[in-house]
Amino acid sequence: MSLRGATATLGSRPVLRGIDLSLRRGEVVALLGANGSGKSTAVRSVIGQVPLTSGEVTLFGTPLRRFRDWARVGYVPQRTTAASGVPATVREVVSSGRLARTGLLRWPSKADRAAVQHAIDLVGLTDRAKDAVGALSGGQHQRVLIARALAAEPELLIMDEPTAGVDLASQEILAATLRDQVAAGTTVLLVLHELGPLEPLIDRAVVLRDGCVMHDGPPPKAVGQHALPGHAPELLTNQSCHPHAAGEPLRTGLLT
Ligand SMILES: Nc1ncnc2c1ncn2[C@@H]1O[C@H](COP(=O)(O)OP(=O)(O)OP(=O)(O)O)[C@@H](O)[C@H]1O
């Protein structure tokens, strides 16, 4: 996928100011940055939830406006923005993720049911499949959202802060699930506040500040939480945030 020169304005505020972000097949990229730097807006623009004022999104080589093959893309929203109190079971919510493949007009096949069960098993909720989502803990709820995205067996998985507010056991299950996906060749874009247990999986980090790309390269080394982007404003004070023009070298401020 790629975002090229992406700009977006929400209300009257410019939130993305010329972002370039590309993922090659099989890559695992972390999108980092302080609160309000535009991370969620960037990933939401990739799936067409936020319109760009200029720039372009391409998915699997197809411009977003012509892209229809949504079964190839799994999206896990930030948990706070996902519906809560849904009177549906774990299996029902996960099955809804399969609809991108099955469509609404045919019964799920044996393969569909197996994919749903596999996704539930992957996130460690086999014994909770019949429970209402509302009865689950925050970490379990997050795992349901991840299973829903995995049910369609996507080639590109986009997750918005999957570890935020999630207990350690769920974080470890999430890391194991992602390892499996990555081993199977899935491309992954993760919005993260901190690398945490997912760090070993990350190939590249893109750091946003004020809607601009401040770094695109190796993940910053975590020396405790304070070395992470968003927790280390002193590392970025020499940077002036401006749209990153194509061909212009990236000024990281983190590692150089
Ligand atoms: N619908 C909206 N209308 C107006 N402003 C918005 C809207 N959604 C987000 N914003 C603003 O856009 C900016 C970027 O928000 P965004 O959620 O993309 O940041 P973020 O980097 O994901 O932050 P966080 O880590 O807090 O989720 C913030 O200042 C936010 O207040």
Side-chain angles (χ1 to χ4, degrees), residues 6 8 33 35 47 60-61 72 84 90 104 117 121 131 155 159-160 182-183 202 206 209 225 235 243 245:
N35 285 335
I47 55 162
F60 300 99
R72 299 176 81 182
S84 57
V90 169
L104 285 166
Q117 185 61 49
D121 295 344
D131 292 354
E155 293 163 58
M159 297 175 145
D160 195 345
V182 172
I202 311 276
V206 174
R209 191 177 77 171
Q225 228 187 30
L235 290 175

Side-chain angles (χ1 to χ4, degrees), residues 9-16 33-42 44 78 160-161 191 193 208:
T9 301
L10 293 174
S12 56
R13 193 168 169 229
V15 176
L16 302 181
N35 285 335
S37 55
K39 305 179 299 293
S40 295
T41 306
R44 293 178 69 227
Q78 228 173 0
D160 195 345
E161 299 210 19
V191 173
H193 247 90
L208 298 189

Side-chain angles (χ1 to χ4, degrees), residues 72-83:
R72 299 176 81 182
V73 182
Y75 172 61
V76 180
Q78 228 173 0
R79 195 158 52 88
T80 47
T81 64

Side-chain angles (χ1 to χ4, degrees), residues 3 17 26 37 54 61 68 74 79 89 93 106 116 122 127 129 139 143 151 155 159 162 167 171 183 225 245 255:
L3 270 176
R17 303 196 283 150
S37 55
S54 66
R68 299 287 174 271
R79 195 158 52 88
T89 66
V93 171
R106 77 166 169 82
V116 168
L122 271 178
D127 56 345
R143 280 146 62 187
E155 293 163 58
M159 297 175 145
D167 57 275
Q171 286 196 28
Q225 228 187 30
L255 301 173

Side-chain angles (χ1 to χ4, degrees), residues 115-141:
V116 168
Q117 185 61 49
H118 183 57
I120 293 171
D121 295 344
L122 271 178
V123 299
L125 290 175
T126 312
D127 56 345
R128 307 299 304 265
K130 291 181 183 159
D131 292 354
V133 171
L136 302 181
S137 71
Q140 289 167 331
H141 190 189

Side-chain angles (χ1 to χ4, degrees), residues 185-244:
T186 309
T187 308
V188 184
L189 176 60
L190 291 161
V191 173
L192 292 176
H193 247 90
E194 50 196 77
L195 298 175
L198 303 182
E199 186 186 359
L201 294 170
I202 311 276
D203 296 316
R204 186 156 60 88
V206 174
V207 182
L208 298 189
R209 191 177 77 171
D210 288 340
C212 298
V213 173
M214 300 303 292
H215 167 82
D216 185 341
K221 284 277 164 264
V223 185
Q225 228 187 30
H226 298 291
L228 294 171
H231 296 282
E234 70 281 3
L235 290 175
L236 297 168
T237 47
N238 292 332
Q239 302 302 315
S240 61
C241 185
H242 61 89
H244 166 63

Side-chain angles (χ1 to χ4, degrees), residues 171-190:
Q171 286 196 28
E172 278 161 10
I173 289 173
L174 167 65
T177 306
L178 264 185
R179 250 194 318 275
D180 281 0
Q181 295 300 307
V182 172
T186 309
T187 308
V188 184
L189 176 60
L190 291 161

